[in-house]
């Protein structure tokens, strides 16, 4: 084996280190900006993200992952979540913390089966800050999936143990912090001291964890999204009803060839909810307009069609008006900072025509809706 390996950085600089050098040691030895906060990871040979704990054995290209980048934001947040889980385990032996879902610019967490107590947030914050000040290492341990299952059983995590027993590979890498183990799909920082910024507060029946925002690198005020939180909590209840509360249970359903039944129950629950929405709409005679919002490919059109069926059951005669048909001609569409068409920009739509048509419809007038030809990139007036 060669005595040294050569690492090339994006600016063309090269650094020679011994084989087996960790990414963190490379940063310490070769960084041209040692005064800066060190990165949360690296990209090796323009491909897989590498953790700072991982070792380099051959020549290659390496680019640092900054905390403000999209990749760095996720690594930082995942690391703080790990510290929260460890702090919860240290403080509350009779309660188990569950990370539920993101909500606005935070992560909603709750205790399994019980509400968070007043003051839990401050107790956890204090313990987390102690671990950050101690600058504890995150260690990587490669082991068999069965060994990992045994560790999780000892930690009182039967779902994680079951997940390991359905793991598709023979070996798995666990992350360990001060004797506490977790399996994370995403990357993790190498020491707790990197994660100086986070905020924990009481929220609903649980807790809200915030970390610095992507592209900003600093904590920002929480933006309330109660309706979205309500919907996400409903999905948790749905998953419990269908007995697929976690990936391990979903794997078990798949292996038992019971996916068809799961899909049918999911569809039935969805249809029942749509019927309830239709009933709610029809209970108020003043409702004239129903607006359906969501990102691209989220199922807005499919939902509108299913809702229309349920409205007809209630004696209504709904007409769907798609915003897609109000796009302006493609050659006039605004572009983003990369020069690509920005179809999410409000100026990509014929807003004045849309408003005019709504007013006419509210007044009981007949309108001719436009049709957008996506092949030609042209708006046709003869819809």
């Amino acid at each position: 084996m060669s005595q040294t390996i050569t690492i090339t950085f994006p600016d063309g600089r090269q650094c020679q280190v011994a084989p087996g050098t960790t990414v963190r040691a490379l940063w310490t030895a070769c960084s041209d900006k040692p005064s800066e906060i060190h990165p949360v990871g690296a990209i090796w040979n323009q491909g897989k993200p590498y953790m700072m704990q991982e070792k380099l054995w051959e020549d290659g290209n390496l680019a640092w992952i900054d905390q403000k980048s999209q990749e760095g934001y996720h690594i930082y947040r995942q690391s703080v979540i790990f510290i929260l889980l460890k702090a919860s385990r240290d403080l509350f032996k009779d309660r188990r913390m569950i990370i539920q879902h993101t909500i606005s610019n935070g992560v909603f967490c709750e205790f399994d089966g019980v509400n968070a107590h007043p003051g839990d947030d401050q107790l956890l914050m204090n313990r987390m800050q102690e671990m950050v000040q101690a600058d504890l290492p995150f260690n990587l341990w490669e082991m068999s999936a069965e060994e990992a299952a045994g560790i999780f059983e000892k930690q009182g995590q039967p779902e994680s143990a079951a997940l390991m027993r359905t793991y598709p590979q023979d070996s798995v890498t666990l992350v360990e912090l001060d004797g506490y183990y977790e399996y994370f799909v995403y990357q993790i920082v190498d020491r707790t001291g990197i994660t100086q910024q986070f905020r924990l507060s009481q929220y609903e029946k649980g807790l809200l964890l915030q970390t610095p925002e992507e592209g900003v690198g600093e904590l920002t005020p929480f933006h309330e999204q109660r309706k979205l939180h309500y919907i996400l909590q409903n999905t948790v209840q749905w998953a419990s009803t269908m007995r697929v509360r976690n990936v391990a249970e979903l794997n078990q359903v798949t292996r038992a060839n019971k996916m068809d039944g799961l899909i049918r129950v999911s569809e039935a629950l969805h249809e029942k909810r749509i019927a309830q929405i239709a009933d709610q709409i029809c209970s108020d005679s003043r409702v004239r307009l129903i607006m359906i919002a969501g990102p691209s490919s989220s199922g807005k059109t499919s939902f509108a069609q299913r809702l229309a069926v349920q409205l007809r059951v209630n004696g209504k005669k709904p007409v769907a008006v798609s915003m897609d048909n109000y796009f302006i001609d493609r050659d006039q569409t605004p572009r983003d900072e990369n020069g690509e068409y920005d179809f999410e920009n409000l100026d990509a739509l014929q807003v004045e025509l849309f408003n005019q048509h709504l007013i006419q419809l509210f007044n009981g007038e007949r309108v001719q809706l436009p049709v957008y030809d996506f092949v030609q990139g042209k708006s046709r007036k003869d819809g």
Side-chain angles (χ1 to χ4, degrees):
M1 181 181 288
S2 173
Q3 296 297 313
T4 62
I5 57 174
T6 301
I7 308 301
T8 304
F9 298 101
D11 61 2
R13 286 187 309 110
Q14 291 187 326
C15 184
Q16 292 187 327
V17 294
T21 298
T22 64
V23 177
R24 182 186 177 95
L26 177 71
W27 163 261
T28 303
C30 304
S31 172
D32 63 334
K33 298 178 181 178
S35 62
E36 289 188 352
I37 298 175
H38 73 73
V40 295
I43 298 294
W44 179 247
N45 284 335
Q46 301 178 341
K48 175 192 171 186
Y50 265 38
M51 290 188 270
M52 301 296 284
Q53 304 96 312
E54 296 190 68
K55 297 178 180 180
L56 305 173
W57 296 98
E58 59 186 9
D59 298 345
N61 301 308
L62 184 139
W64 300 113
I65 298 177
D66 182 81
Q67 179 189 324
K68 295 181 182 180
S69 67
Q70 184 181 52
E71 194 82 29
Y73 158 77
H74 288 295
I75 293 173
Y76 188 98
R77 170 169 281 188
Q78 194 82 332
S79 305
V80 176
I81 287 174
F82 198 120
I83 297 172
L84 171 60
L85 291 170
K86 174 67 169 77
S88 177
R89 186 173 181 83
D90 290 348
L91 294 173
F92 309 122
K93 303 298 184 183
D94 58 337
R95 289 185 280 166
R96 188 159 63 97
M97 174 73 71
I98 297 177
I99 309 301
Q100 289 291 17
H101 51 73
T102 57
I103 176 70
S104 183
N105 54 339
V107 179
F108 178 67
C109 318
E110 61 183 356
F111 293 103
D112 188 13
V114 295
N115 297 343
H117 300 165
D120 280 351
D121 54 340
Q122 194 57 55
L123 288 172
L124 286 164
M125 275 284 290
N126 293 342
R127 178 63 186 129
M128 292 170 72
Q129 288 169 345
E130 287 176 2
M131 287 189 282
V132 170
Q133 292 303 316
D135 194 25
L136 302 172
F138 286 98
N139 300 306
L140 305 181
W141 298 100
E142 187 170 346
M143 62 189 72
S144 70
E146 188 57 38
E147 286 178 294
I151 288 175
F152 287 130
E153 283 178 342
K154 290 179 181 178
Q155 290 187 169
Q157 297 169 266
E159 297 90 345
S160 296
L163 177 62
M164 291 297 100
R165 292 198 167 97
T166 60
Y167 197 72
Q169 299 174 2
D170 293 334
S171 64
V172 63
T173 299
L174 297 189
V175 184
E176 174 256 331
L177 173 63
D178 193 24
Y180 175 70
Y181 293 80
E182 278 290 353
Y183 169 69
F184 278 171
V185 175
Y186 221 82
Q187 310 293 308
I188 217 90
V189 299
D190 63 321
R191 304 193 70 85
T192 57
I194 300 171
T195 58
Q196 297 282 336
Q197 295 188 72
F198 53 85
R199 182 189 298 134
L200 192 66
S201 55
Q202 304 277 153
Y203 185 75
E204 296 291 331
K205 298 178 181 180
L207 300 164
L208 184 78
L209 176 66
Q210 289 180 265
T211 56
E213 287 297 289
E214 177 186 338
V216 177
E218 296 179 358
L219 291 168
T220 58
F222 175 62
H223 305 295
E224 188 71 76
Q225 289 182 314
R226 286 194 177 275
K227 188 165 288 188
L228 178 59
H229 176 67
Y230 167 75
I231 293 299
L232 291 171
Q233 285 297 90
N234 272 348
T235 66
V236 174
Q237 295 172 7
W238 281 23
S240 180
T241 299
M242 296 184 291
R243 294 182 175 84
V244 284
R245 296 164 296 178
N246 49 63
V247 175
E249 290 182 348
L250 182 60
N251 285 346
Q252 290 168 1
V253 170
T254 304
R255 289 188 169 190
N257 293 320
K258 295 181 179 179
M259 282 302 296
D260 286 346
L262 177 63
I263 292 170
R264 283 194 292 270
V265 173
S266 300
E267 288 289 329
L269 283 167
H270 199 231
E271 201 63 44
K272 182 178 180 179
R273 182 68 182 123
I274 294 174
Q276 292 170 343
I277 293 171
D279 291 343
Q280 183 181 356
I281 291 169
C282 295
S283 67
D284 188 343
S285 60
R286 298 170 301 172
V287 174
R288 304 277 305 279
L289 176 68
I290 304 159
M291 291 179 286
I292 302 168
S296 298
S297 302
S298 60
K300 296 184 296 293
T301 300
S302 298
F303 176 80
Q305 292 170 348
R306 295 173 71 170
L307 180 60
V309 171
Q310 294 296 338
L311 289 171
R312 291 190 187 100
V313 171
N314 282 271
K316 300 293 184 181
K317 296 181 180 179
V319 175
V321 178
S322 174
M323 294 297 292
D324 286 351
N325 284 324
Y326 285 86
F327 277 124
I328 61 177
D329 289 350
R330 192 168 298 151
D331 59 3
Q332 299 176 30
T333 301
R335 295 177 181 268
D336 60 21
E337 63 274 11
N338 299 318
E340 303 292 335
Y341 288 120
D342 186 3
F343 296 110
E344 304 298 325
N345 193 315
L346 193 61
D347 291 333
L349 297 169
Q350 303 178 69
V351 178
E352 291 185 7
L353 178 62
F354 177 70
N355 289 339
Q356 175 190 328
H357 282 176
L358 283 186
I359 292 171
Q360 288 179 282
L361 290 169
F362 279 145
N363 291 333
E365 300 175 26
R366 185 185 297 270
V367 301
Q368 183 159 291
L369 303 177
V371 171
Y372 193 77
D373 187 329
F374 284 89
V375 176
Q376 298 296 326
K378 298 286 186 181
S379 177
R380 300 204 325 259
K381 312 303 179 186
D382 57 342

